[in-house]
Amino acid sequence: MLVVAVLGAAFAAQAVAALRPHVPLLLAATATSLLVEGVLHRWQRGMVSVFAKSHADITVRHVLRDLLLVVGLLRLSEQDRETAYAALVAGLLVFYTLHCAIQAVSVLVRRIRTLPVVTRNIDASALRLSPAPSALLRRPGQRLLVFGMPSTAGLLATAVTGEPRYAAFGIAVSLGLSLKGLYDLLVLLLPSRRPAGEQEVLDWFDAWLAEYRPTVGLYFSGGASSAYQANMWLEPLAKLRGRPVIVLRERFMVQKIAATDVPIICLPKVTTLMRLEQSTLQALIHPSNSGKTSQVLRIPTLKHTFVNHGESDKLSSCNPYAKAYDEVWVAGPAARERYATAEVGVEDKDVREIGRPQLDAVRPYAGPPTGPYTTVLYAPTWEGWDGNPGNTSVIEAGENLVRALLADPGVRLLYKPHPLTGSVDARAGAADLRIRELVRAANRERTGERPANDGELARRTQELDRLTTTAFRSAADQVERMLLQSTPEPGRAEAVVRATAAWERAYWASLPTSEHQVVTDARPALYTCFNQADLLISDVSSVVSDFLASGKPYAVANTSGLDEDVFRTAFPTAGAATVLTPDAAGMPALLDAVRHPERDELADARAALKRRLLGPDEPTSQVRFNAAVQALCSVAREHRTRMADRLAAELPGQRQESPAAPERETAATSGVLTLPR
């Protein structure tokens, strides 16, 4: 609001200076308003949108600014100068006309470069992809500021000196920049510079599907902050037998998906999505529910399974929407029982236990801490949508838990909050910030030798970034990104695995063993923190279930207001946990049990609960996951065969021609079924 007030005051001062007239005030007011415009477009983009909705966008403000300058010139000039200034006004009018023309052509260019299919890890060079135009040409606000700056400066110089040639020169420069920008955009409309048209892209997409012949896909739709739900399934998907593919619905999500060699296709429109019906795709795996999930469920040739992005005792882990899928895949018997108890319409015959393939990388318990420090991972979940105070411990217990841990000189704390913390309840965000400050303050009081910086982490980071990221210009659009993110180099996936492991070793080796850490970046991942921790403290969430794969001690914060016995009954994942009250009173005893396993009375309970939540250790989760995928694909193929036979029986006239029979048989066995529309 301060910025808005300054801008309003600058325009008011400019108007007064133009009407009086007063040259110093005119200079100061104009310079101030231009400076504020730069601040708005650099740091206050939300306020720019507010101005636009109020019909006071950058074009209106810039026209007003130049108009006041012209008024000031007319007030300052002599009678015989009005004719000369008329030419300047005409030049300004032409400049603003060119600005409107550039914007119109920019919109047209954006439309022809908005393809119906967006891809990654696929060679799409046949679509005549090309680099995007300059970002300046696509952003009207910044473009008007930059292109109009010479004319504004020239008008100010004329106001000071009284020489019209300065204004004429500035306007001429602005016109030249505008003409160059318009030319650059018009060139992109030439047939040789245009990307492929919509129908050509769709034909190419159909041909790619026919050549790649996908069998199983990961379907995902959601907001920008929800990409982690899909990313946790990338590695298990890549290890599947068959030809996997990732199907997205939002264009921005293409860049949110983590490094993978699996082909990615984004199909924003329902009509394009329905082309999967004619492909060899047999099954789709769904890690989350979304409004757009119902659209893909309409495809009769596909089988769908819900795998969720984590399991916990919360109601969200047995959502009634799950009954819309053909199967529901869970980690272990506990989740099967959870669905039966919830009575949400999911039949037991449709539930399959596959374990959690992501957890194969979690190292098992290897004994109590051997060094001077006990590493404790505090990984609370977020506040959720329902306002239940028991969802997260951050608000009521987080600071108490952290203080109790930091009070023990033998504890090293890893604090990893949920990415959505504070997104619903501001109290959670404020508590998170206070916890981070507690950690920073504790580190200031700790002394310890830092490992020598030999550059290993920087080298490993550079290598991993080279393998997992693609450098884009700030002006790059989806078409340019498709051009740069083509088919990955052979062996890249294996190289990423090796580089990630090397980076993790270098990362932990670069940190003092006594220093507390706040972990908020994508690296290191949660499961890497599991391997570093001797103890987990969390809430009722999937983090607890996943940590059980390690067999290490864990604790759950009870902020629900329930008695401990009732709490354990209501939330079975806490059955083998130390239940902590909001005041963290049980922390010393918990740490003592971690350091002295003979005092750990929950070890056997953890082993039993692990089997109940995650299933058996053998066969591995990845093996069970692959078997479940193959079985579901087999069901899909059998369904297609029956539908093809039924369709042939209902249309006997098509069987009179001998070439049709082998063709139908090939379609049925390959998993492709063409249904009448």
Side-chain angles (χ1 to χ4, degrees):
M1 296 306 296
L2 176 62
V3 173
V4 175
V6 173
L7 183 62
F11 273 114
Q14 191 182 15
V16 171
L19 294 173
R20 285 191 56 181
H22 191 279
V23 174
L25 181 59
L26 187 64
L27 283 170
T30 304
T32 300
S33 68
L34 287 173
L35 180 61
V36 174
E37 293 284 6
V39 172
L40 282 173
H41 284 83
R42 180 65 178 85
W43 292 292
Q44 300 286 335
R45 300 304 297 272
M47 191 56 64
V48 172
S49 300
V50 172
F51 273 121
K53 292 176 182 178
S54 304
H55 301 286
D57 60 12
I58 180 63
T59 302
V60 173
R61 299 195 301 273
H62 208 281
V63 169
L64 178 60
R65 188 180 298 111
D66 285 350
L67 177 63
L68 290 174
L69 286 176
V70 171
V71 170
L73 288 179
L74 292 175
R75 296 279 293 168
L76 288 167
S77 66
E78 300 175 0
Q79 191 74 19
D80 58 350
R81 290 288 184 92
E82 292 185 0
T83 303
Y85 289 152
L88 300 180
V89 173
L92 285 174
L93 292 175
V94 174
F95 167 70
Y96 284 108
T97 301
L98 287 174
H99 168 70
C100 295
I102 292 174
Q103 183 59 22
V105 177
S106 175
V107 171
L108 184 58
V109 169
R110 184 176 70 247
R111 287 180 178 177
I112 67 172
R113 292 179 65 85
T114 302
L115 305 184
V117 179
V118 181
T119 65
R120 200 177 113 191
N121 299 335
I122 298 173
D123 182 6
S125 57
L127 301 180
R128 301 190 299 277
L129 307 178
S130 61
S134 167
L136 195 62
L137 297 178
R138 308 200 316 259
R139 299 170 182 168
Q142 295 181 8
R143 181 180 67 242
L144 187 57
L145 281 175
V146 174
F147 286 6
M149 187 63 72
S151 61
T152 302
L155 290 171
L156 283 174
T158 297
V160 173
T161 64
E163 292 292 339
R165 65 175 182 270
Y166 293 115
F169 178 76
I171 293 173
V173 173
S174 293
L175 290 173
L177 292 173
S178 299
L179 288 171
K180 178 63 167 59
L182 182 60
Y183 170 80
D184 290 342
L185 288 174
L186 289 173
V187 167
L188 295 177
L189 296 179
L190 296 175
S192 60
R193 299 289 298 274
R194 290 188 178 204
E198 181 172 353
Q199 189 56 50
E200 188 177 352
V201 173
L202 295 177
D203 292 341
W204 170 87
F205 178 59
D206 291 339
W208 179 84
L209 286 174
E211 179 183 0
Y212 180 65
R213 300 179 61 80
T215 55
V216 59
L218 180 75
Y219 178 91
F220 188 73
S221 171
S225 60
S226 64
Y228 72 95
Q229 299 171 357
N231 288 334
M232 67 170 56
W233 285 97
L234 295 182
E235 187 172 348
L237 181 74
K239 294 179 180 178
L240 285 177
R241 192 156 45 89
R243 291 174 295 279
V245 67
I246 298 171
V247 182
L248 305 176
R249 301 302 308 282
E250 291 82 19
R251 297 176 186 273
F252 68 82
M253 191 62 71
V254 175
Q255 301 306 319
K256 296 292 183 179
I257 298 299
T260 179
D261 284 359
V262 177
I264 299 175
I265 54 176
C266 178
L267 311 174
K269 294 183 179 179
V270 178
T271 53
T272 310
L273 179 71
M274 291 301 155
R275 304 180 90 86
L276 296 178
E277 181 178 347
Q278 314 302 327
S279 73
T280 57
L281 192 63
Q282 299 158 14
L284 282 179
I285 299 168
H286 299 257
S288 69
N289 299 311
S290 73
K292 295 181 180 178
T293 300
S294 61
Q295 298 171 350
V296 75
L297 292 177
R298 294 162 51 191
I299 301 180
T301 57
L302 298 179
K303 293 297 179 182
H304 303 266
T305 181
F306 181 60
V307 295
N308 213 335
H309 52 275
E311 293 182 8
S312 72
D313 295 320
K314 294 180 181 177
L315 293 177
S316 58
S317 289
C318 48
N319 193 308
Y321 197 100
K323 63 177 175 280
Y325 302 94
D326 297 290
E327 292 185 2
V328 175
W329 295 353
V330 299
R336 180 188 293 274
E337 297 168 8
R338 190 181 300 120
Y339 273 107
T341 303
E343 298 182 4
V344 293
V346 176
E347 299 185 30
D348 186 71
K349 66 180 179 62
D350 296 328
V351 179
R352 182 187 291 266
E353 298 172 23
I354 65 166
R356 289 275 285 166
Q358 300 89 343
L359 304 181
D360 289 349
V362 176
R363 294 198 295 266
Y365 179 64
T370 56
Y373 295 100
T374 300
T375 301
V376 180
L377 171 63
Y378 177 40
T381 190
W382 67 304
E383 56 270 26
W385 299 110
D386 57 5
N388 190 328
N391 285 344
T392 179
S393 60
V394 169
I395 298 174
E396 295 188 13
E399 293 172 82
N400 293 333
L401 294 172
V402 170
R403 285 194 181 95
L405 290 169
L406 298 178
D408 189 317
V411 165
R412 180 200 190 194
L413 173 63
L414 305 179
Y415 173 54
K416 187 171 178 60
H418 192 283
L420 296 180
T421 298
S423 60
V424 172
D425 192 333
R427 295 178 301 165
D432 171 53
L433 294 177
R434 291 194 296 269
I435 291 173
R436 298 187 192 201
E437 181 53 39
L438 287 174
V439 174
R440 286 191 289 267
N443 278 333
R444 287 194 292 267
E445 296 179 2
R446 273 203 171 173
T447 58
E449 185 178 353
R450 298 192 67 87
N453 184 6
D454 57 359
E456 178 69 8
L457 179 59
R459 289 191 295 272
R460 295 301 182 183
T461 301
Q462 184 179 13
E463 174 65 12
L464 187 55
D465 287 344
R466 183 186 67 81
L467 291 169
T468 59
T469 60
T470 302
F472 298 117
R473 298 183 306 131
S474 59
D477 59 2
Q478 289 287 355
V479 170
E480 184 173 339
R481 293 189 181 103
M482 285 176 62
L483 176 64
L484 297 175
Q485 291 182 312
S486 187
T487 306
E489 299 176 0
R492 188 186 69 167
E494 294 78 7
V496 169
V497 172
R498 293 192 299 270
T500 301
W503 181 90
E504 290 173 352
R505 289 193 297 270
Y507 173 79
W508 295 112
S510 69
L511 301 175
T513 56
S514 62
E515 187 176 79
H516 308 295
Q517 301 296 328
V518 176
V519 183
T520 56
D521 295 333
R523 302 177 197 150
L526 177 63
Y527 298 151
T528 305
C529 295
F530 282 1
N531 292 334
Q532 294 293 317
D534 301 302
L535 167 68
L536 168 73
I537 299 176
S538 188
D539 305 321
V540 176
S541 70
S542 60
V543 173
V544 169
S545 302
D546 288 352
F547 189 78
L548 274 166
S550 69
K552 300 175 184 178
Y554 71 101
V556 176
N558 178 12
T559 56
S560 64
L562 301 174
D563 292 336
E564 181 174 329
D565 292 339
V566 178
F567 181 79
R568 290 182 184 275
T569 302
F571 304 110
T573 52
T578 298
V579 178
L580 295 172
T581 55
D583 60 3
M587 190 67 71
L590 171 62
L591 293 172
D592 185 62
V594 173
R595 292 160 179 160
H596 303 91
E598 67 276 7
R599 302 173 190 172
D600 182 3
E601 300 176 353
L602 296 170
D604 293 339
R606 284 198 303 275
L609 186 59
K610 173 187 175 182
R611 289 190 296 271
R612 185 162 172 259
L613 291 178
L614 303 177
D617 293 333
E618 295 294 337
T620 65
S621 295
Q622 183 66 43
V623 170
R624 283 183 281 161
F625 179 50
N626 187 74
V629 169
Q630 301 308 318
L632 188 61
C633 288
S634 178
V635 172
R637 290 194 299 271
E638 292 171 1
H639 174 258
R640 292 187 181 197
T641 300
R642 290 194 302 271
M643 292 296 293
D645 291 341
R646 187 178 306 164
L647 183 62
E650 292 174 355
L651 302 173
Q654 294 187 359
R655 304 182 65 181
Q656 296 177 358
E657 300 180 7
S658 57
E663 193 173 302
R664 180 186 61 79
E665 182 179 354
T666 302
T669 56
S670 66
V672 180
L673 174 63
T674 302
L675 298 177
R677 296 185 180 275

